Amino acid sequence: MYTTLASPTNYAIPFLIISIPFGVTSLLFIPQQLRDRRLRRNGVAAQAVCEERIRRGGTAVEKLNCSFSTSGGEVAWALVTAPKPPPWEGEEVAIVFDARNPSSAESAYYLASFGSRAGVVVQSVSCLLLVAAAVAGALS
């Protein structure tokens, strides 16, 4: 009868197999998270008029093509995430836009939702898995 002890290598490989795809995927969300964070901190609130409702892969409206007036009185256009329930064409929706780049805008509903912060949770879990795999690999 043989007795074996679990070594850190037995745990490092599964951690790496799981964490690498999560880590790569979470890296793709960094630009969007930085934009959302910048809009939450320094964005300018405005009322935009829904000009077009965009459906992607189903019947639910996911995006809105909106027009709004900037602080300088110029008309800008932006593609924003649709609030629930989505407005009809011609109805107003609350948005937050970047004063330096007005086309970088998002709906106030999305910025206040958990969905805009979910990427941070995924990145934190991925980071913990990668660190655990690196430590387990170093100990073997």
mmCIF file with all atom_site columns, all heavy atoms in Angstrom, residues 5-24:
data_model
loop_
_atom_site.group_PDB
_atom_site.id
_atom_site.type_symbol
_atom_site.label_atom_id
_atom_site.label_alt_id
_atom_site.label_comp_id
_atom_site.label_asym_id
_atom_site.label_entity_id
_atom_site.label_seq_id
_atom_site.pdbx_PDB_ins_code
_atom_site.Cartn_x
_atom_site.Cartn_y
_atom_site.Cartn_z
_atom_site.occupancy
_atom_site.B_iso_or_equiv
_atom_site.pdbx_formal_charge
_atom_site.auth_seq_id
_atom_site.auth_comp_id
_atom_site.auth_asym_id
_atom_site.auth_atom_id
_atom_site.pdbx_PDB_model_num
ATOM 1   N N   . LEU A 1 5  ? 1.273   12.077 -0.667  1.00 0.00 ? 5  LEU A N   1
ATOM 2   C CA  . LEU A 1 5  ? 0.882   13.367 -0.138  1.00 0.00 ? 5  LEU A CA  1
ATOM 3   C C   . LEU A 1 5  ? 0.554   14.286 -1.300  1.00 0.00 ? 5  LEU A C   1
ATOM 4   O O   . LEU A 1 5  ? 1.185   14.226 -2.350  1.00 0.00 ? 5  LEU A O   1
ATOM 5   C CB  . LEU A 1 5  ? 2.011   13.975 0.703   1.00 0.00 ? 5  LEU A CB  1
ATOM 6   C CG  . LEU A 1 5  ? 2.391   13.205 1.956   1.00 0.00 ? 5  LEU A CG  1
ATOM 7   C CD1 . LEU A 1 5  ? 3.620   13.831 2.598   1.00 0.00 ? 5  LEU A CD1 1
ATOM 8   C CD2 . LEU A 1 5  ? 1.240   13.194 2.940   1.00 0.00 ? 5  LEU A CD2 1
ATOM 9   N N   . ALA A 1 6  ? -0.419  15.115 -1.109  1.00 0.00 ? 6  ALA A N   1
ATOM 10  C CA  . ALA A 1 6  ? -0.770  16.074 -2.161  1.00 0.00 ? 6  ALA A CA  1
ATOM 11  C C   . ALA A 1 6  ? 0.311   17.138 -2.225  1.00 0.00 ? 6  ALA A C   1
ATOM 12  O O   . ALA A 1 6  ? 0.692   17.714 -1.213  1.00 0.00 ? 6  ALA A O   1
ATOM 13  C CB  . ALA A 1 6  ? -2.118  16.708 -1.859  1.00 0.00 ? 6  ALA A CB  1
ATOM 14  N N   . SER A 1 7  ? 0.797   17.359 -3.406  1.00 0.00 ? 7  SER A N   1
ATOM 15  C CA  . SER A 1 7  ? 1.823   18.394 -3.568  1.00 0.00 ? 7  SER A CA  1
ATOM 16  C C   . SER A 1 7  ? 1.187   19.624 -4.192  1.00 0.00 ? 7  SER A C   1
ATOM 17  O O   . SER A 1 7  ? 0.140   19.544 -4.827  1.00 0.00 ? 7  SER A O   1
ATOM 18  C CB  . SER A 1 7  ? 2.959   17.879 -4.452  1.00 0.00 ? 7  SER A CB  1
ATOM 19  O OG  . SER A 1 7  ? 2.510   17.769 -5.785  1.00 0.00 ? 7  SER A OG  1
ATOM 20  N N   . PRO A 1 8  ? 1.832   20.779 -4.019  1.00 0.00 ? 8  PRO A N   1
ATOM 21  C CA  . PRO A 1 8  ? 1.291   22.002 -4.618  1.00 0.00 ? 8  PRO A CA  1
ATOM 22  C C   . PRO A 1 8  ? 1.159   21.915 -6.135  1.00 0.00 ? 8  PRO A C   1
ATOM 23  O O   . PRO A 1 8  ? 0.310   22.548 -6.729  1.00 0.00 ? 8  PRO A O   1
ATOM 24  C CB  . PRO A 1 8  ? 2.300   23.077 -4.220  1.00 0.00 ? 8  PRO A CB  1
ATOM 25  C CG  . PRO A 1 8  ? 2.976   22.543 -3.005  1.00 0.00 ? 8  PRO A CG  1
ATOM 26  C CD  . PRO A 1 8  ? 2.992   21.059 -3.167  1.00 0.00 ? 8  PRO A CD  1
ATOM 27  N N   . THR A 1 9  ? 1.987   21.072 -6.772  1.00 0.00 ? 9  THR A N   1
ATOM 28  C CA  . THR A 1 9  ? 1.896   20.930 -8.220  1.00 0.00 ? 9  THR A CA  1
ATOM 29  C C   . THR A 1 9  ? 0.546   20.359 -8.629  1.00 0.00 ? 9  THR A C   1
ATOM 30  O O   . THR A 1 9  ? 0.010   20.704 -9.679  1.00 0.00 ? 9  THR A O   1
ATOM 31  C CB  . THR A 1 9  ? 3.024   20.011 -8.731  1.00 0.00 ? 9  THR A CB  1
ATOM 32  O OG1 . THR A 1 9  ? 4.260   20.504 -8.235  1.00 0.00 ? 9  THR A OG1 1
ATOM 33  C CG2 . THR A 1 9  ? 3.056   19.964 -10.235 1.00 0.00 ? 9  THR A CG2 1
ATOM 34  N N   . ASN A 1 10 ? -0.014  19.494 -7.806  1.00 0.00 ? 10 ASN A N   1
ATOM 35  C CA  . ASN A 1 10 ? -1.324  18.920 -8.114  1.00 0.00 ? 10 ASN A CA  1
ATOM 36  C C   . ASN A 1 10 ? -2.404  19.993 -8.185  1.00 0.00 ? 10 ASN A C   1
ATOM 37  O O   . ASN A 1 10 ? -3.403  19.815 -8.860  1.00 0.00 ? 10 ASN A O   1
ATOM 38  C CB  . ASN A 1 10 ? -1.719  17.880 -7.071  1.00 0.00 ? 10 ASN A CB  1
ATOM 39  C CG  . ASN A 1 10 ? -0.806  16.682 -7.070  1.00 0.00 ? 10 ASN A CG  1
ATOM 40  O OD1 . ASN A 1 10 ? -0.056  16.476 -8.016  1.00 0.00 ? 10 ASN A OD1 1
ATOM 41  N ND2 . ASN A 1 10 ? -0.844  15.897 -6.012  1.00 0.00 ? 10 ASN A ND2 1
ATOM 42  N N   . TYR A 1 11 ? -2.207  21.094 -7.488  1.00 0.00 ? 11 TYR A N   1
ATOM 43  C CA  . TYR A 1 11 ? -3.195  22.172 -7.468  1.00 0.00 ? 11 TYR A CA  1
ATOM 44  C C   . TYR A 1 11 ? -2.838  23.310 -8.426  1.00 0.00 ? 11 TYR A C   1
ATOM 45  O O   . TYR A 1 11 ? -3.713  24.044 -8.863  1.00 0.00 ? 11 TYR A O   1
ATOM 46  C CB  . TYR A 1 11 ? -3.349  22.730 -6.051  1.00 0.00 ? 11 TYR A CB  1
ATOM 47  C CG  . TYR A 1 11 ? -3.825  21.697 -5.071  1.00 0.00 ? 11 TYR A CG  1
ATOM 48  C CD1 . TYR A 1 11 ? -2.962  21.153 -4.131  1.00 0.00 ? 11 TYR A CD1 1
ATOM 49  C CD2 . TYR A 1 11 ? -5.132  21.235 -5.111  1.00 0.00 ? 11 TYR A CD2 1
ATOM 50  C CE1 . TYR A 1 11 ? -3.395  20.184 -3.254  1.00 0.00 ? 11 TYR A CE1 1
ATOM 51  C CE2 . TYR A 1 11 ? -5.567  20.266 -4.232  1.00 0.00 ? 11 TYR A CE2 1
ATOM 52  C CZ  . TYR A 1 11 ? -4.698  19.738 -3.311  1.00 0.00 ? 11 TYR A CZ  1
ATOM 53  O OH  . TYR A 1 11 ? -5.132  18.783 -2.444  1.00 0.00 ? 11 TYR A OH  1
ATOM 54  N N   . ALA A 1 12 ? -1.558  23.465 -8.733  1.00 0.00 ? 12 ALA A N   1
ATOM 55  C CA  . ALA A 1 12 ? -1.138  24.579 -9.578  1.00 0.00 ? 12 ALA A CA  1
ATOM 56  C C   . ALA A 1 12 ? -1.657  24.445 -11.001 1.00 0.00 ? 12 ALA A C   1
ATOM 57  O O   . ALA A 1 12 ? -2.120  25.421 -11.600 1.00 0.00 ? 12 ALA A O   1
ATOM 58  C CB  . ALA A 1 12 ? 0.381   24.692 -9.583  1.00 0.00 ? 12 ALA A CB  1
ATOM 59  N N   . ILE A 1 13 ? -1.578  23.264 -11.559 1.00 0.00 ? 13 ILE A N   1
ATOM 60  C CA  . ILE A 1 13 ? -1.989  23.082 -12.955 1.00 0.00 ? 13 ILE A CA  1
ATOM 61  C C   . ILE A 1 13 ? -3.482  23.352 -13.145 1.00 0.00 ? 13 ILE A C   1
ATOM 62  O O   . ILE A 1 13 ? -3.850  24.096 -14.055 1.00 0.00 ? 13 ILE A O   1
ATOM 63  C CB  . ILE A 1 13 ? -1.571  21.687 -13.460 1.00 0.00 ? 13 ILE A CB  1
ATOM 64  C CG1 . ILE A 1 13 ? -0.045  21.643 -13.528 1.00 0.00 ? 13 ILE A CG1 1
ATOM 65  C CG2 . ILE A 1 13 ? -2.184  21.396 -14.827 1.00 0.00 ? 13 ILE A CG2 1
ATOM 66  C CD1 . ILE A 1 13 ? 0.532   20.288 -13.828 1.00 0.00 ? 13 ILE A CD1 1
ATOM 67  N N   . PRO A 1 14 ? -4.386  22.817 -12.311 1.00 0.00 ? 14 PRO A N   1
ATOM 68  C CA  . PRO A 1 14 ? -5.802  23.172 -12.502 1.00 0.00 ? 14 PRO A CA  1
ATOM 69  C C   . PRO A 1 14 ? -6.081  24.659 -12.305 1.00 0.00 ? 14 PRO A C   1
ATOM 70  O O   . PRO A 1 14 ? -6.891  25.233 -13.035 1.00 0.00 ? 14 PRO A O   1
ATOM 71  C CB  . PRO A 1 14 ? -6.534  22.345 -11.445 1.00 0.00 ? 14 PRO A CB  1
ATOM 72  C CG  . PRO A 1 14 ? -5.626  21.211 -11.158 1.00 0.00 ? 14 PRO A CG  1
ATOM 73  C CD  . PRO A 1 14 ? -4.232  21.746 -11.336 1.00 0.00 ? 14 PRO A CD  1
ATOM 74  N N   . PHE A 1 15 ? -5.406  25.297 -11.346 1.00 0.00 ? 15 PHE A N   1
ATOM 75  C CA  . PHE A 1 15 ? -5.577  26.740 -11.163 1.00 0.00 ? 15 PHE A CA  1
ATOM 76  C C   . PHE A 1 15 ? -5.160  27.494 -12.418 1.00 0.00 ? 15 PHE A C   1
ATOM 77  O O   . PHE A 1 15 ? -5.825  28.420 -12.858 1.00 0.00 ? 15 PHE A O   1
ATOM 78  C CB  . PHE A 1 15 ? -4.765  27.256 -9.972  1.00 0.00 ? 15 PHE A CB  1
ATOM 79  C CG  . PHE A 1 15 ? -5.483  27.170 -8.658  1.00 0.00 ? 15 PHE A CG  1
ATOM 80  C CD1 . PHE A 1 15 ? -4.835  26.678 -7.544  1.00 0.00 ? 15 PHE A CD1 1
ATOM 81  C CD2 . PHE A 1 15 ? -6.795  27.592 -8.537  1.00 0.00 ? 15 PHE A CD2 1
ATOM 82  C CE1 . PHE A 1 15 ? -5.484  26.609 -6.326  1.00 0.00 ? 15 PHE A CE1 1
ATOM 83  C CE2 . PHE A 1 15 ? -7.457  27.532 -7.323  1.00 0.00 ? 15 PHE A CE2 1
ATOM 84  C CZ  . PHE A 1 15 ? -6.797  27.028 -6.221  1.00 0.00 ? 15 PHE A CZ  1
ATOM 85  N N   . LEU A 1 16 ? -4.022  27.118 -13.001 1.00 0.00 ? 16 LEU A N   1
ATOM 86  C CA  . LEU A 1 16 ? -3.562  27.777 -14.214 1.00 0.00 ? 16 LEU A CA  1
ATOM 87  C C   . LEU A 1 16 ? -4.519  27.541 -15.376 1.00 0.00 ? 16 LEU A C   1
ATOM 88  O O   . LEU A 1 16 ? -4.809  28.451 -16.150 1.00 0.00 ? 16 LEU A O   1
ATOM 89  C CB  . LEU A 1 16 ? -2.153  27.304 -14.584 1.00 0.00 ? 16 LEU A CB  1
ATOM 90  C CG  . LEU A 1 16 ? -1.024  27.887 -13.752 1.00 0.00 ? 16 LEU A CG  1
ATOM 91  C CD1 . LEU A 1 16 ? 0.296   27.227 -14.100 1.00 0.00 ? 16 LEU A CD1 1
ATOM 92  C CD2 . LEU A 1 16 ? -0.938  29.384 -13.942 1.00 0.00 ? 16 LEU A CD2 1
ATOM 93  N N   . ILE A 1 17 ? -5.014  26.323 -15.504 1.00 0.00 ? 17 ILE A N   1
ATOM 94  C CA  . ILE A 1 17 ? -5.941  26.010 -16.599 1.00 0.00 ? 17 ILE A CA  1
ATOM 95  C C   . ILE A 1 17 ? -7.215  26.838 -16.482 1.00 0.00 ? 17 ILE A C   1
ATOM 96  O O   . ILE A 1 17 ? -7.751  27.319 -17.473 1.00 0.00 ? 17 ILE A O   1
ATOM 97  C CB  . ILE A 1 17 ? -6.265  24.497 -16.615 1.00 0.00 ? 17 ILE A CB  1
ATOM 98  C CG1 . ILE A 1 17 ? -5.018  23.722 -17.051 1.00 0.00 ? 17 ILE A CG1 1
ATOM 99  C CG2 . ILE A 1 17 ? -7.437  24.195 -17.529 1.00 0.00 ? 17 ILE A CG2 1
ATOM 100 C CD1 . ILE A 1 17 ? -5.148  22.228 -16.884 1.00 0.00 ? 17 ILE A CD1 1
ATOM 101 N N   . ILE A 1 18 ? -7.683  27.048 -15.273 1.00 0.00 ? 18 ILE A N   1
ATOM 102 C CA  . ILE A 1 18 ? -8.908  27.818 -15.065 1.00 0.00 ? 18 ILE A CA  1
ATOM 103 C C   . ILE A 1 18 ? -8.643  29.317 -15.125 1.00 0.00 ? 18 ILE A C   1
ATOM 104 O O   . ILE A 1 18 ? -9.410  30.074 -15.717 1.00 0.00 ? 18 ILE A O   1
ATOM 105 C CB  . ILE A 1 18 ? -9.542  27.457 -13.702 1.00 0.00 ? 18 ILE A CB  1
ATOM 106 C CG1 . ILE A 1 18 ? -10.069 26.027 -13.747 1.00 0.00 ? 18 ILE A CG1 1
ATOM 107 C CG2 . ILE A 1 18 ? -10.661 28.416 -13.343 1.00 0.00 ? 18 ILE A CG2 1
ATOM 108 C CD1 . ILE A 1 18 ? -10.500 25.494 -12.405 1.00 0.00 ? 18 ILE A CD1 1
ATOM 109 N N   . SER A 1 19 ? -7.541  29.764 -14.544 1.00 0.00 ? 19 SER A N   1
ATOM 110 C CA  . SER A 1 19 ? -7.344  31.202 -14.386 1.00 0.00 ? 19 SER A CA  1
ATOM 111 C C   . SER A 1 19 ? -6.843  31.917 -15.633 1.00 0.00 ? 19 SER A C   1
ATOM 112 O O   . SER A 1 19 ? -7.134  33.090 -15.813 1.00 0.00 ? 19 SER A O   1
ATOM 113 C CB  . SER A 1 19 ? -6.397  31.474 -13.225 1.00 0.00 ? 19 SER A CB  1
ATOM 114 O OG  . SER A 1 19 ? -5.122  30.928 -13.503 1.00 0.00 ? 19 SER A OG  1
ATOM 115 N N   . ILE A 1 20 ? -6.112  31.251 -16.498 1.00 0.00 ? 20 ILE A N   1
ATOM 116 C CA  . ILE A 1 20 ? -5.585  31.934 -17.679 1.00 0.00 ? 20 ILE A CA  1
ATOM 117 C C   . ILE A 1 20 ? -6.694  32.426 -18.605 1.00 0.00 ? 20 ILE A C   1
ATOM 118 O O   . ILE A 1 20 ? -6.685  33.590 -19.003 1.00 0.00 ? 20 ILE A O   1
ATOM 119 C CB  . ILE A 1 20 ? -4.538  31.060 -18.405 1.00 0.00 ? 20 ILE A CB  1
ATOM 120 C CG1 . ILE A 1 20 ? -3.280  31.013 -17.545 1.00 0.00 ? 20 ILE A CG1 1
ATOM 121 C CG2 . ILE A 1 20 ? -4.231  31.605 -19.796 1.00 0.00 ? 20 ILE A CG2 1
ATOM 122 C CD1 . ILE A 1 20 ? -2.206  30.103 -18.058 1.00 0.00 ? 20 ILE A CD1 1
ATOM 123 N N   . PRO A 1 21 ? -7.710  31.614 -18.967 1.00 0.00 ? 21 PRO A N   1
ATOM 124 C CA  . PRO A 1 21 ? -8.785  32.169 -19.803 1.00 0.00 ? 21 PRO A CA  1
ATOM 125 C C   . PRO A 1 21 ? -9.553  33.300 -19.114 1.00 0.00 ? 21 PRO A C   1
ATOM 126 O O   . PRO A 1 21 ? -9.915  34.287 -19.760 1.00 0.00 ? 21 PRO A O   1
ATOM 127 C CB  . PRO A 1 21 ? -9.704  30.971 -20.053 1.00 0.00 ? 21 PRO A CB  1
ATOM 128 C CG  . PRO A 1 21 ? -8.864  29.773 -19.831 1.00 0.00 ? 21 PRO A CG  1
ATOM 129 C CD  . PRO A 1 21 ? -7.855  30.167 -18.807 1.00 0.00 ? 21 PRO A CD  1
ATOM 130 N N   . PHE A 1 22 ? -9.784  33.175 -17.802 1.00 0.00 ? 22 PHE A N   1
ATOM 131 C CA  . PHE A 1 22 ? -10.457 34.247 -17.074 1.00 0.00 ? 22 PHE A CA  1
ATOM 132 C C   . PHE A 1 22 ? -9.605  35.511 -17.066 1.00 0.00 ? 22 PHE A C   1
ATOM 133 O O   . PHE A 1 22 ? -10.113 36.618 -17.212 1.00 0.00 ? 22 PHE A O   1
ATOM 134 C CB  . PHE A 1 22 ? -10.762 33.840 -15.632 1.00 0.00 ? 22 PHE A CB  1
ATOM 135 C CG  . PHE A 1 22 ? -12.017 33.036 -15.480 1.00 0.00 ? 22 PHE A CG  1
ATOM 136 C CD1 . PHE A 1 22 ? -11.958 31.698 -15.145 1.00 0.00 ? 22 PHE A CD1 1
ATOM 137 C CD2 . PHE A 1 22 ? -13.256 33.617 -15.682 1.00 0.00 ? 22 PHE A CD2 1
ATOM 138 C CE1 . PHE A 1 22 ? -13.103 30.955 -15.009 1.00 0.00 ? 22 PHE A CE1 1
ATOM 139 C CE2 . PHE A 1 22 ? -14.412 32.887 -15.542 1.00 0.00 ? 22 PHE A CE2 1
ATOM 140 C CZ  . PHE A 1 22 ? -14.333 31.546 -15.213 1.00 0.00 ? 22 PHE A CZ  1
ATOM 141 N N   . GLY A 1 23 ? -8.300  35.346 -16.881 1.00 0.00 ? 23 GLY A N   1
ATOM 142 C CA  . GLY A 1 23 ? -7.415  36.502 -16.864 1.00 0.00 ? 23 GLY A CA  1
ATOM 143 C C   . GLY A 1 23 ? -7.378  37.221 -18.199 1.00 0.00 ? 23 GLY A C   1
ATOM 144 O O   . GLY A 1 23 ? -7.452  38.448 -18.257 1.00 0.00 ? 23 GLY A O   1
ATOM 145 N N   . VAL A 1 24 ? -7.309  36.461 -19.288 1.00 0.00 ? 24 VAL A N   1
ATOM 146 C CA  . VAL A 1 24 ? -7.286  37.073 -20.616 1.00 0.00 ? 24 VAL A CA  1
ATOM 147 C C   . VAL A 1 24 ? -8.610  37.771 -20.902 1.00 0.00 ? 24 VAL A C   1
ATOM 148 O O   . VAL A 1 24 ? -8.643  38.892 -21.415 1.00 0.00 ? 24 VAL A O   1
ATOM 149 C CB  . VAL A 1 24 ? -6.975  36.008 -21.691 1.00 0.00 ? 24 VAL A CB  1
ATOM 150 C CG1 . VAL A 1 24 ? -7.195  36.548 -23.082 1.00 0.00 ? 24 VAL A CG1 1
ATOM 151 C CG2 . VAL A 1 24 ? -5.552  35.501 -21.525 1.00 0.00 ? 24 VAL A CG2 1
#
